[in-house]
Structures are given as C-alpha cells and as structure tokens.
Amino acid sequence: MAGRTAGDRRTEILRAAAGLFAARGFHGVSIDDLGRAVGTSGPALYRHFPGKEALLAAMLLEVSERLAADGRERAAACAEDPRRALEELLRGHIRFALTEPALITVHDRELDNVPEPHRRRIRRLQRGYVEEWVRVLARLRPGADPPALRAAVHAAFGLLNSTPHSAQELAPEPMAELLLAMGRAALLAEG
C-alpha cells in the first residue's frame, strides 16, 4: 500500500497479534498464524520483531507506556480539582477498556510470557499508573491509608477491565456511563 510506514505495519502486526493472543492464548498462536493475519509469511515478521516473545513484550510495553502517560496527563490537567481528575482517569481507562479489550485479555493471561527485563519495566509502568490514581484518590479520601487506596484502585481496575466479558451487552456509550458511575462509586466508597 502506498504511504504505509514501517510504524503503521508494526501497529497492524501488534493489533492482529493482540486479537489472536486474546482468542487462542500466546502458546496457541504460531508465527505463521501471525503472518497470515497480516497478509504475509510468518518469517517476514522477523523484520519487525526478533520473535514472538519480543512481539508480546512490545505489545504490553506499548500499552503500559500509553496508559501511564495518559494517566499522568489527565491527572496533571485537573491537578486543582481531584474529583475532576478522578473522573478523567476513569474516562481514560474506560475508553481504553472499551476500545481495546483484547489487550486487557492478553495482559491478564500472558504477562508471565514476557521475558525479563521487559516484564520488570511493564510492572514498573503499571505501578506508576496505579500510584497516579492513588495520589488523586488520597486527596478525595484523606483519612484512608495508601494500601487501602491501592486496593481500591486495583478493585476498580478489575471492574473496568471486565469489559471484554460484558461489553457486547450494551452499546459503547451506555456501557461507558455505567462503568463511570460504578467506578466512581467503588473508588469513593468508605470501607
């Protein structure tokens, strides 16, 4: 195709791999399956990634970096209003959950297949993302201790990340509003 860059091709490969890994699991997908999914041979993918594990690492690093950056930007944009910052964090994560459910599934199931040191970097990015939420939540629930706030954030992520299993039941907009109300209620609940 005219005008397509190597970055576009890489993105296409990562998106196809996410769908296949979510549907069949990392070990259930061969390099030839991945090649066929993007209209090429499996070995041709080695021009973009040294192997299937590197592809998985790139996929999960990219999404972790993107979520971390988005969380920082959303929280910083509303630094003076923690309630609005929480709403923005929720909206950003909900948008991700509704538009990229395959990545949620792959992350939940396949992170252990990512080689070190990439796995360590992914976990560090994820901890930073959680801490962004904890900082905002601490301003809204000043009496809560950080471990309780972290637990609340992880529980809210469980709720929001359940969308690969339930998003087909509602149209995206009502589903987003439902998740926003539930996420807000879960995070602000006194426990």
Side-chain angles (χ1 to χ4, degrees):
M1 277 190 208
R4 182 159 46 176
T5 67
D8 294 338
R9 185 64 167 162
R10 182 179 165 89
T11 299
E12 178 186 13
I13 293 165
L14 290 171
R15 187 171 306 277
L20 287 172
F21 292 162
R24 293 193 250 163
F26 177 74
H27 295 295
V29 177
S30 71
I31 199 75
D32 289 328
D33 294 332
L34 292 167
R36 274 191 298 279
V38 295
T40 190
S41 70
L45 296 180
Y46 292 123
R47 282 182 265 159
H48 301 278
F49 302 95
K52 199 167 74 161
E53 290 82 5
L55 192 155
L56 179 63
M59 177 190 307
L60 296 182
L61 274 167
E62 187 274 334
V63 72
S64 297
E65 288 168 347
R66 193 164 25 109
L67 282 171
D70 186 64
R72 281 190 308 275
E73 289 170 18
R74 287 174 182 275
C78 305
E80 300 305 315
D81 185 351
R83 188 165 294 276
R84 186 161 165 250
L86 181 63
E87 293 280 320
E88 287 302 311
L89 287 168
L90 281 163
R91 287 184 188 283
H93 196 91
I94 290 165
R95 181 180 39 77
F96 163 69
L98 290 176
T99 59
E100 302 190 65
L103 284 172
I104 291 170
T105 301
V106 171
H107 180 274
D108 283 349
R109 286 191 208 151
E110 309 297 348
L111 182 59
D112 287 342
N113 290 308
V114 173
E116 293 294 351
H118 302 296
R119 187 177 337 141
R120 207 170 21 257
R121 182 161 178 230
I122 291 166
R123 291 202 189 280
R124 190 171 41 253
L125 286 162
Q126 292 168 339
R127 282 191 301 274
Y129 183 58
V130 167
E131 290 308 310
E132 200 67 59
W133 287 67
V134 168
R135 281 189 287 279
V136 169
L137 201 52
R139 293 179 62 203
L140 295 169
R141 295 177 53 194
D145 64 336
L149 295 176
R150 264 183 224 93
V153 169
H154 282 288
F157 287 168
L159 168 75
L160 302 176
N161 291 347
S162 70
T163 56
H165 310 291
S166 61
Q168 303 80 5
E169 298 290 320
L170 289 176
E173 191 172 314
M175 186 65 173
E177 290 306 312
L178 175 64
L179 289 170
L180 180 63
M182 293 179 74
R184 184 186 315 115
L187 288 166
L188 296 176
E190 296 294 329

